[in-house]
Amino acid sequence: MRPTTSRTGTGVGHVRARLIALGATGLAVALVAAGCGTGSTPTPQAPVVTPAGTTTTTSPADTPSSSPAATDPATPSDPATTEPTATTGSTPSPTGDGATEGTPTPSDDATDDGSSKDGSGDDGTPGKSEGSDGKGQGKGHSTEHAELRSGDHGAKVETLQRRLLELGYWLPSADGNFGPSTQQAVWALQKAAGLNRDGVVGKKTQKALDRGVRPAAQTHHGHVIEVDLGKQLVLIVDDGHVGTILNASSGSGRPFKDKDGHQYVAHTPTGTYRMGRQYDGMYTSNLGLGTMWRPKFFNGGIALHGLGFDVPPYPASHGCVRISNPAMDWVWSTNKAPQGTVVTVYA
């Protein structure tokens, strides 16, 4: 999808000139939003709202630079992210995500709650990772394990999907196919219930489903996007009621380098912000961190965005908050996160 607006070279040239000037004086440079070079018209950055008693972690990606920052479009286009502060050494710095699909940041198989992501069910039954919702399965033929998992198809899967939807766990539909979107929803349920995040519906997961386990909102007024870093979930909340629950993956906490060799730490800061710039299409990071689908920025270079189905049940991003592409499409189509929406990130 092609962006509907284009950026002139003036803003970018001005930023580069200022960065060179700052670098010459030995100051730390904060490149808040440089775009991907393929362009968009600069728009105002979202205001940061920090309530009393809330400590917002500052870093190169969300600390205002002394130089003007070129920003990405404020109208739907495709994922666009701002850039982190260009520093040397290993200064912690949240940045736009940008790992390409299929390349998770973590190098081990451990989940962030210490459980093993080994694909086994609640009772140790091996799971599968392939399969797609609504594709590749015949409606007349049921292929279901006793403990439902990715790749299964049939009436039991449809019953599972209907229950997940009833509880607010996001799915495109209840079609009887246990594909990636259903696995995302099962992971979200397991996170909310504090279970091993294997994507298999074993006895413990089924019990959580039967009990109707849902995460509780932390806010009580207005329309809010909550990001629970502890559970790795995104909650769509209205006046304290959780309407929709999305599997998510935030900053991995691991060091990484951009294309120029600057080193950062993948971190998602806590605090309260507002949705600002957004890009309705595929955005490519200037830092060489890959692409993001239809990002909505809420804290400098930190955005809520899609990344295919590369949304594992543990923190894996460069600092952004990942959800699946279909879920991100739903956020856009239902206008769940328009500009100005409050975003609360907590651990």
Side-chain angles (χ1 to χ4, degrees):
M1 184 181 299
R2 187 180 299 277
T4 57
T5 57
S6 63
R7 173 189 296 155
T8 65
T10 305
V12 175
H14 185 55
V15 172
R16 287 175 178 165
R18 289 290 292 148
L19 292 180
I20 292 172
L22 287 173
T25 61
L27 298 177
V29 177
L31 183 56
V32 179
C36 66
T38 56
S40 58
T41 301
T43 59
Q45 183 170 323
V48 176
V49 181
T50 305
T54 299
T55 300
T56 302
T57 304
T58 57
S59 67
D62 57 34
T63 302
S65 169
S66 57
S67 61
T71 58
D72 296 305
T75 54
S77 281
D78 254 314
T81 186
T82 59
E83 312 298 346
T85 300
T87 60
T88 57
S90 57
T91 303
S93 166
T95 74
D97 197 8
T100 54
E101 183 176 352
T103 311
T105 301
S107 59
D108 56 32
D109 291 325
T111 65
D112 62 327
D113 65 347
S115 59
S116 172
K117 181 179 173 293
D118 59 2
S120 62
D122 293 331
D123 302 305
T125 305
K128 299 195 297 182
S129 60
E130 70 275 7
S132 59
D133 298 301
K135 295 181 181 179
Q137 299 288 351
K139 286 291 183 181
H141 180 62
S142 175
T143 55
E144 297 178 319
H145 292 82
E147 295 181 340
L148 297 175
R149 65 201 64 197
S150 182
D152 283 353
H153 164 76
K156 291 181 180 178
V157 174
E158 184 174 347
T159 298
L160 164 68
Q161 292 170 326
R162 291 187 184 282
R163 180 56 173 163
L164 287 167
L165 285 167
E166 180 182 318
L167 293 176
Y169 294 95
W170 187 83
L171 276 169
S173 65
D175 62 3
N177 293 291
F178 198 134
S181 288
T182 301
Q183 184 173 59
Q184 293 280 313
V186 171
W187 276 339
L189 170 66
Q190 291 174 332
K191 289 177 176 183
L195 300 175
N196 184 37
R197 307 166 185 183
D198 57 13
V200 176
V201 185
K203 292 180 180 179
K204 293 179 182 178
T205 300
Q206 184 61 52
K207 185 177 293 185
L209 199 67
D210 295 340
R211 293 201 328 264
V213 172
R214 287 165 43 87
Q218 298 298 304
T219 58
H220 305 289
H221 304 288
H223 180 70
V224 182
I225 306 297
E226 294 190 8
V227 181
D228 185 336
L229 298 179
K231 289 186 171 65
Q232 292 289 284
L233 293 172
V234 167
L235 312 179
I236 312 296
V237 180
D238 288 284
D239 295 325
H241 172 73
V242 177
T244 305
I245 307 151
L246 299 162
N247 181 55
S249 180
S250 64
S252 67
R254 295 170 181 269
F256 67 93
K257 292 182 179 180
D258 66 11
K259 62 182 178 63
D260 296 321
H262 299 119
Q263 185 164 307
Y264 309 97
V265 174
H267 173 62
T268 306
T270 58
T272 300
Y273 314 92
R274 287 186 183 273
M275 286 295 183
R277 296 168 299 105
Q278 55 187 25
Y279 194 80
D280 187 19
M282 186 63 74
Y283 177 81
T284 302
S285 169
N286 265 9
L287 296 181
L289 300 179
T291 59
M292 292 179 287
W293 178 240
R294 307 181 83 179
K296 288 176 174 280
F297 296 90
F298 58 86
N299 179 15
I302 307 295
L304 174 70
H305 70 79
L307 196 66
F309 283 103
D310 188 10
V311 189
Y314 52 85
S317 83
H318 289 99
C320 284
V321 179
R322 298 180 189 175
I323 59 176
S324 71
N325 277 13
M328 196 67 206
D329 287 339
W330 173 83
V331 168
W332 275 86
S333 67
T334 56
N335 200 31
K336 294 297 184 182
Q339 289 176 301
T341 299
V342 173
V343 180
T344 297
V345 184
Y346 51 86

